[in-house]
Amino acid sequence: MKFKFTPVSHGLVCLLAAMQGAALAQQAQPQDADKPKTQSLESVVVTGIRASNERSLVMKRDASANVDVITALDVGKMPDKNLADSLQRIVGVAVRKDYDEAEKVSMRGTNPDMSLILFNGHTVSGGDWYLADQSSSSRSTSLSLMPSSVLNAATVYKTSQANIADGGLAGTVNVTTRKPLDEPKRLGGLLSAGAVYADLPGKSSPQLNASVNWKNDANTLGIIGQVFAEKRYVRRDSVSRLGYGANSGWDQINTATMLGITDASLAGTGYKASDLNGVRMPGSLASEFVEGVRDRKGGMLALQVRPTDSLDLSATGFYSKMNAANFGRATMGALNSMLRGLAGPTGETNIFTNSNGQRVYAQIKNPVIVEETTLYGDKLRVLKSADIVFPDGTTPQYVGNSEGFYRSGASASSGFLDLDAKWQASKDMVLKGQFSTTRGVGTTEMDRGLTFARYGTGISYSMNGLQEAPDFKYIGAGTGASSATLADGSGYKLVSRSLANKYKTVDRENSIAVDGEYTQESGIFATLNFGVRYADHRRDFRRTIKAMHAAFNPLTDTPDPAASVSFPGDFGASLGGGNWERTGFYFPREFLVNYFDKAIKETNSDFERFVASEIQMREQQSAVYLMQNLEGEKNWWSGNIGLRVVRTQVDAQAPTPVPAGKCTRIEPGKTVVPCAAYPTAIVTAGDAVNYFDGVPWNGNTGTIYYKTATSKRFDNLLPSLNLRFELTPELIARFGASETIGRQNYNLYGAAYGSPSCSTGICLVSGPNPALKPMTSRNTDVSLSWFFAKRAMLSVSLFDSLIDGYAKTGTVQQDATIDLADPTTGAMRTYYITTTGQQKARIKGVEVAYEQPIGAGFGIQSNVSVADNKVADGRPMPGVSKYSANLGGYFENDLFSVRLVYNYRGKYVSSTTAPSPTTNSQGNTVINGVTMPAAPTMAAPVSNVDLSINYNINEQLQLSFNATNLTNPTRAQYRYSELEQQKLDVSGRQYYLEARYKF
């Protein structure tokens, strides 16, 4: 295999080799029998906030690398309900929140895909509960499945070292679970029971955690069992630019297609039609009402055996499943469509308005135009408010939509089994082995919904700023609280019934690792670590679609309006704004289930396949490493230098279209006849074609696919160096240099090929890029920590990461090619793949952390981080917050403890799913003759306050009260500037009351 040596890797490899030679030469020298032996801290026993803080600082102070540590007691004294909640308290760590709970973790200004989450040293497969995340095939780990109670300690590695599993481009979090023989008591346990009240849905639900540990008197056999059952209702109220068509967000006015904008229609406003060209305006105005549940159940079992003083064996199993059925309803205006004279209620552009046989176009009345400065520094104009109305006398036209989609059976699960062995082979040699298997599943059993088109004569709106809902109202469109059609044609009509979709992602991995530590105690050489690791990772995504008995018929399939339900009376009360339509209607869950059960036609699992969306990947990761631990004279300096050699083998099966007419699709239940022209074509899959009762089967409709196999191998050398200097007993300096890798998201390798075309002798097809290399990053970290008092610290860290191979999605012609049949001639031709490219990026920043006891049981903990990023194409990197901060205060005595925590995260590009390889996120837009990058969706800064109170009734019994989202923050998104509000939502507060009994 071939490796590309960087200057850093070349220098560190040479230095490591030279140092090993010196170490071997010194082995013959006599050893100092009185020299103390360096040992690793295996477990931490702490009691109370102050003792926990002290132990965390000791671990941070003594570590060679730049690390942060949180322990189980930290979590017990903080208002955190999952591991992501806990990790966001650490400097340089930010989280992505869905509804009111942290879910995915990002480090040092990167998106969550670049952070590696380990459990007991190995990766954990996890599912996603939301269907968009299930289909995105992101590498980010959802921690919503992991209650904080499973944690023993979490070590956040800001700098890499050779003995850490590869894959964390920006950093690595290693979560350890408890070991039975490390427990202080022979028999002990904890029972926690209580309830949570979520104020926005107005519902309470139970919370239960229980654990028990036992070990024998000889401390050679132990077991820990834990179970948890935590249920919580959620609700989200939103206003947004959600809508159908290409202009559901923001776009520019174009009088060439918006023919109702004329000089005459603008009379008296001071504007001519030409003045409005290029002005930015919302394509839609919408309100969204979402309800769901988070019902998390699972447990952990750990067994540990120590048959001899030199052998330690353990097994740890964990499983968690969260049921998360969710029901989303939305009402949407259609401003852009109205101005263009379009009446396609679900995004069609070939359905036109019609009033008395004439196509009609909406006009703009009472425009208010303001200027904005975009995030790229360009000046644009924005239509802040206006009346978008059809001419007087126009019959009711299409002005928007209302829909409700119920996603039953939505769930996510994650589980792992670890088998560990530790053997003291000799006085100087310790060997460790681990076999792990993990599996995560994300499923939505049925996504179903109805779409109604709304008819009226106009919409009036006014934007009120980023953190306030806009004013908007419908004109001549009836009430928004009923699905009825009025006598004049205004109101609602059912226009669409969704397909009955199922989503399922299965992510699994088997891994084996063997590590060794050889104690040298020879001069500066303390110990030598070495090891090998192999992991076999598989990712499979399937979307299936049920057939229907008959085509949708609005005359027979429209439900009785009397069965509909209005939005709750308090909908949107926390979103601010004044005059906006808070009403809406939907059909209840049970109604939708029965409605679709009658419409669904059972076939078979093969026919339900939607091959075009499938992702099927296998990734084999292998690594070998060597790391020399160093210790200077009188321990004033220490560190490690190492090298990790990594190979990544990626095998993908990409869906590829068969030319029309070459293969025949097989009717369900009929004998399967393979396609002669393409023997591997999946002719039994329906791929969303119609299969109605009483309609003759036509096997030549739709697109048939076969799978194209690609296989690529990538090799990387990952050197690392960490140095620690004890300038004084209180002042610790560190330096770290390393090269890390981050593997690309799965869909960039295994997405479908589609839209093949040939012109002027060049053939292009969209699809994955099998030649996409893993990202690499050259990292430098310098830190200085001052431990100026007991449980007190002030630290500053500077970091710089140069990233190579950062994904550049979009239709960019690549060197990669594939041989496909020309759809027009059937002849085999070579196609260039338009897909994801790669580019360079850079992240640099500073982190400052400060904590100190004040006295009388009071203390503070605080941190702030600044991360600046630059991508080669000039666009901001998704997920990067330049500023983030935490400020916490606590009080504790023997009876009572309280902690109040403030968290802030600055603006960032909001990317909730992994982009598809053909998503043109690097595209350009031309506005008023100025070419500028396309506008990303930006998440606005958000801050929050959480509270935890604990009261010890006695040594065994404790009462706990926690409150999260105390300030009930609104979360806003925008486009080019804050004048272009894209979304505003709120999820409410949660209050937890629990009793904990320890024995």
Side-chain angles (χ1 to χ4, degrees):
M1 55 186 174
K2 296 180 180 180
F3 296 98
K4 181 180 179 181
F5 281 86
T6 65
V8 173
S9 61
H10 187 275
L12 291 182
V13 169
C14 293
L15 181 57
L16 182 60
M19 297 178 85
Q20 282 307 303
L24 293 173
Q26 295 187 42
Q27 291 303 302
Q29 299 179 9
Q31 300 295 308
D32 185 355
D34 296 328
K35 186 174 182 179
K37 196 172 186 178
T38 301
Q39 295 182 348
S40 299
L41 183 64
E42 294 293 338
S43 64
V44 179
V45 179
V46 291
T47 57
I49 295 175
R50 293 164 292 177
S52 175
N53 293 348
E54 181 178 348
R55 178 50 57 187
S56 296
L57 290 183
V58 168
M59 296 173 73
K60 179 179 178 64
R61 180 186 183 281
D62 293 344
S64 295
N66 187 359
V67 303
D68 281 292
V69 180
I70 56 173
T71 67
L73 197 78
D74 284 318
V75 171
K77 300 291 185 178
M78 287 195 289
D80 303 332
K81 295 305 169 184
N82 69 33
L83 289 178
D85 280 329
S86 303
L87 291 169
Q88 72 174 323
R89 313 297 180 194
I90 291 176
V91 60
V93 175
V95 298
R96 191 194 94 185
K97 284 199 171 187
D98 285 318
Y99 296 86
D100 55 341
E101 189 173 16
E103 185 163 353
K104 299 194 175 184
V105 171
S106 61
M107 295 177 62
R108 287 192 158 177
T110 60
N111 64 51
D113 297 321
M114 298 181 183
S115 301
L116 180 63
I117 309 295
L118 302 175
F119 273 71
N120 298 325
H122 64 85
T123 58
V124 173
S125 293
D128 287 298
W129 64 268
Y130 185 56
L131 55 85
D133 289 329
Q134 291 165 0
S135 60
S136 74
S137 288
S138 165
R139 285 188 183 270
S140 57
T141 301
S142 174
L143 294 178
S144 61
L145 291 167
M146 312 295 180
S148 297
S149 58
V150 306
L151 173 74
N152 176 52
T155 304
V156 180
Y157 290 90
K158 305 289 187 65
T159 58
S160 185
Q161 52 190 42
N163 63 340
I164 300 175
D166 47 87
L169 187 83
T172 302
V173 179
N174 185 33
V175 178
T176 58
T177 55
R178 291 189 293 160
K179 292 286 189 180
L181 299 185
D182 292 336
E183 292 296 308
K185 295 182 179 179
R186 191 181 72 83
L187 176 64
L190 172 69
L191 175 63
S192 175
V196 55
Y197 175 74
D199 71 346
L200 192 56
K203 294 181 179 180
S204 300
S205 49
Q207 307 281 293
L208 174 67
N209 269 275
S211 67
V212 62
N213 60 274
W214 171 89
K215 62 181 179 180
N216 62 7
D217 291 333
N219 205 43
T220 58
L221 174 64
I223 189 169
I224 293 177
Q226 178 180 353
V227 294
F228 52 86
E230 301 171 335
K231 186 175 183 179
R232 184 169 51 86
Y233 293 97
V234 297
R235 172 177 150 185
R236 184 176 68 193
D237 294 358
S238 309
V239 288
S240 73
R241 307 293 80 76
L242 175 68
Y244 286 104
N247 306 104
S248 61
W250 285 76
D251 205 349
Q252 56 186 309
I253 295 173
N254 181 359
T255 58
T257 58
M258 301 174 178
L259 302 183
I261 305 173
T262 64
D263 291 347
S265 70
L266 292 168
T269 66
Y271 292 108
K272 295 183 178 180
S274 58
D275 297 332
L276 270 63
N277 276 319
V279 173
R280 299 273 293 171
M281 68 167 291
S284 172
L285 293 163
S287 60
E288 302 172 58
F289 170 49
V290 183
E291 289 180 302
V293 67
R294 302 287 183 275
D295 191 0
R296 180 170 57 199
K297 293 183 176 70
M300 184 175 66
L301 184 65
L303 175 67
Q304 188 177 10
V305 181
R306 193 176 290 156
T308 69
D309 291 341
S310 60
L311 183 62
D312 193 307
L313 306 173
S314 63
T316 304
F318 170 84
Y319 179 77
S320 175
K321 181 176 182 180
M322 185 172 71
N323 293 316
N326 52 98
F327 192 7
R329 302 77 131 185
T331 63
M332 299 169 281
L335 305 181
N336 189 279
S337 294
M338 294 163 60
L339 290 168
R340 296 166 66 198
L342 300 177
T346 53
E348 303 93 338
T349 58
N350 58 349
I351 302 176
F352 310 122
T353 54
N354 186 328
S355 178
N356 300 316
Q358 298 292 319
R359 184 176 180 180
V360 290
Y361 298 85
Q363 303 170 344
I364 295 180
K365 300 289 188 179
N366 304 313
V368 175
I369 299 175
V370 296
E371 186 178 73
E372 68 173 341
T373 301
T374 74
L375 56 95
Y376 301 112
D378 299 293
K379 299 292 185 181
L380 296 178
R381 293 174 299 153
V382 174
L383 188 64
K384 185 176 184 294
S385 66
D387 300 327
I388 312 298
V389 294
F390 286 100
D392 293 342
T394 302
T395 58
Q397 299 295 309
Y398 169 64
V399 295
N401 292 80
S402 178
E403 62 183 27
F405 278 76
Y406 176 46
R407 286 121 187 181
S408 60
S411 67
S413 67
S414 179
F416 64 81
L417 173 64
D418 299 341
L419 302 176
D420 295 272
K422 179 181 179 181
W423 178 41
Q424 184 83 40
S426 68
K427 181 176 75 71
D428 298 322
M429 179 69 74
V430 176
L431 297 176
K432 298 179 182 180
Q434 182 185 70
F435 169 77
S436 298
T437 182
T438 178
R439 186 173 187 266
V441 179
T443 303
T444 300
E445 289 293 340
M446 183 72 74
D447 175 31
R448 58 174 82 75
L450 301 175
T451 298
F452 288 76
R454 191 173 190 179
Y455 296 88
T457 56
I459 299 176
S460 175
Y461 80 90
S462 177
M463 306 302 295
N464 290 325
L466 185 61
Q467 296 292 341
E468 294 285 334
D471 294 340
F472 62 90
K473 63 179 181 179
Y474 292 84
I475 302 171
T479 175
S482 171
S483 64
T485 304
L486 303 183
D488 63 353
S490 63
Y492 283 103
K493 297 177 184 177
L494 181 65
V495 294
S496 177
R497 174 190 67 192
S498 75
L499 298 172
N501 296 278
K502 176 180 179 179
Y503 298 78
K504 185 175 183 179
T505 293
V506 178
D507 189 90
R508 58 195 187 276
E509 179 177 293
N510 295 322
S511 65
I512 185 170
V514 178
D515 299 271
E517 182 177 80
Y518 178 63
T519 301
Q520 298 156 304
E521 294 186 344
S522 175
I524 64 172
F525 304 101
T527 58
L528 178 68
N529 294 104
F530 54 89
V532 296
R533 181 178 184 269
Y534 171 78
D536 187 353
H537 196 110
R538 297 172 188 260
R539 181 81 169 199
D540 186 272
F541 169 71
R542 298 286 180 99
R543 175 185 169 192
T544 58
I545 301 174
K546 295 279 190 181
M548 298 288 187
H549 285 292
F552 165 73
N553 185 342
L555 296 178
T556 59
D557 294 334
T558 296
D560 184 353
S564 64
V565 179
S566 299
F567 283 11
D570 64 346
F571 172 73
S574 299
L575 292 174
N579 183 22
W580 61 284
E581 185 176 277
R582 290 180 169 86
T583 58
F585 73 89
Y586 61 93
F587 289 87
R589 299 171 176 84
E590 298 77 12
F591 181 93
L592 290 178
V593 170
N594 293 331
Y595 181 96
F596 275 83
D597 283 350
K598 294 176 182 178
I600 288 172
K601 177 180 182 179
E602 295 297 335
T603 54
N604 56 59
S605 58
D606 285 337
F607 187 76
E608 291 173 359
R609 286 179 66 181
F610 188 47
V611 179
S613 67
E614 293 180 359
I615 294 175
Q616 186 178 354
M617 277 193 57
R618 181 186 185 189
E619 185 177 83
Q620 299 176 79
Q621 307 164 9
S622 53
V624 59
Y625 75 89
L626 187 68
M627 186 176 79
Q628 177 66 63
N629 295 297
L630 309 169
E631 190 173 291
E633 187 176 354
K634 297 183 180 180
N635 297 328
W636 83 271
W637 72 273
S638 61
N640 58 65
I641 180 172
L643 178 68
R644 192 175 184 93
V645 182
V646 178
R647 167 167 287 180
T648 306
Q649 173 80 35
V650 181
D651 299 291
Q653 300 282 336
T656 308
V658 172
K662 294 294 183 179
C663 297
T664 301
R665 197 183 309 274
I666 304 301
E667 183 178 2
K670 303 298 182 181
T671 302
V672 177
V673 179
C675 177
Y678 291 84
T680 60
I682 308 172
V683 294
T684 55
D687 270 298
V689 300
N690 293 326
Y691 184 49
F692 298 137
D693 294 345
V695 178
W697 173 253
N698 182 356
N700 294 317
T701 59
T703 303
I704 296 174
Y705 294 83
Y706 65 97
K707 295 289 184 78
T708 298
T710 59
S711 181
K712 289 291 181 180
R713 178 181 294 172
F714 308 101
D715 295 314
N716 296 93
L717 288 175
L718 306 178
S720 61
L721 172 67
N722 290 283
L723 295 175
R724 174 187 180 276
F725 301 94
E726 191 169 313
L727 305 180
T728 70
E730 296 80 26
L731 194 61
I732 308 297
R734 289 184 179 83
F735 172 80
S738 65
E739 188 160 339
T740 53
I741 67 167
R743 296 180 174 91
Q744 305 286 355
N745 285 321
Y746 303 105
N747 62 345
L748 301 183
Y749 292 112
Y753 293 99
S755 306
S757 63
C758 297
S759 63
T760 63
I762 297 178
C763 292
L764 301 175
V765 64
S766 64
N769 185 354
L772 209 61
K773 298 178 182 179
M775 292 176 286
T776 58
S777 180
R778 301 178 192 175
N779 313 296
T780 305
D781 183 281
V782 179
S783 67
L784 184 65
S785 301
W786 180 29
F787 299 86
F788 56 90
K790 194 174 183 179
R791 299 189 299 277
M793 179 201 69
L794 174 64
S795 69
V796 179
S797 298
L798 303 175
F799 61 90
D800 192 346
S801 296
L802 299 175
I803 300 172
D804 191 15
Y806 181 70
K808 180 181 174 68
T809 60
T811 53
V812 181
Q813 183 171 312
Q814 304 295 315
D815 294 333
T817 61
I818 185 174
D819 291 334
L820 298 174
D822 187 329
T824 58
T825 66
M828 296 300 294
R829 303 187 65 172
T830 298
Y831 283 74
Y832 289 96
I833 304 172
T834 57
T835 180
T836 305
Q838 297 188 268
Q839 59 184 326
K840 295 184 183 296
R842 184 177 186 179
I843 299 176
K844 58 182 179 179
V846 59
E847 298 170 346
V848 179
Y850 168 70
E851 56 183 281
Q852 181 180 7
I854 300 173
F858 289 93
I860 59 173
Q861 291 179 301
S862 61
N863 59 68
V864 62
S865 65
V866 181
D868 197 13
N869 75 95
K870 184 178 182 181
V871 181
D873 62 11
R875 292 159 173 81
M877 182 181 290
V880 176
S881 287
K882 185 172 182 179
Y883 301 104
S884 61
N886 290 279
L887 176 61
Y890 65 85
F891 168 79
E892 181 184 51
N893 59 27
D894 292 339
L895 293 178
F896 180 76
S897 69
V898 59
R899 178 172 287 190
L900 190 67
V901 183
Y902 168 83
N903 176 263
Y904 171 83
R905 183 176 185 182
K907 65 181 181 181
Y908 63 96
V909 176
S910 176
S911 177
T912 58
T913 59
S916 71
T918 53
T919 298
N920 197 6
S921 59
Q922 274 75 32
N924 290 321
T925 299
V926 179
I927 302 177
N928 287 340
V930 178
T931 300
M932 63 187 70
T937 298
M938 302 294 299
V942 64
S943 58
N944 193 23
V945 175
D946 299 331
L947 172 69
S948 178
I949 301 174
N950 298 279
Y951 176 70
N952 299 320
I953 298 176
N954 53 46
E955 288 187 5
Q956 287 76 39
L957 185 60
Q958 181 186 75
L959 292 180
S960 171
F961 173 78
N962 293 285
T964 60
N965 288 348
L966 263 179
T967 53
N968 194 21
T970 54
R971 301 181 185 275
Q973 297 178 356
Y974 61 94
R975 298 300 296 275
Y976 274 123
S977 81
E978 293 187 359
L979 290 176
E980 297 188 22
Q981 183 195 67
Q982 182 71 9
K983 189 174 186 179
L984 183 70
D985 64 56
V986 66
S987 297
R989 305 172 181 86
Q990 296 77 45
Y991 304 99
Y992 296 81
L993 182 62
E994 296 169 287
R996 300 171 183 158
Y997 179 74
K998 298 178 182 179
F999 61 91

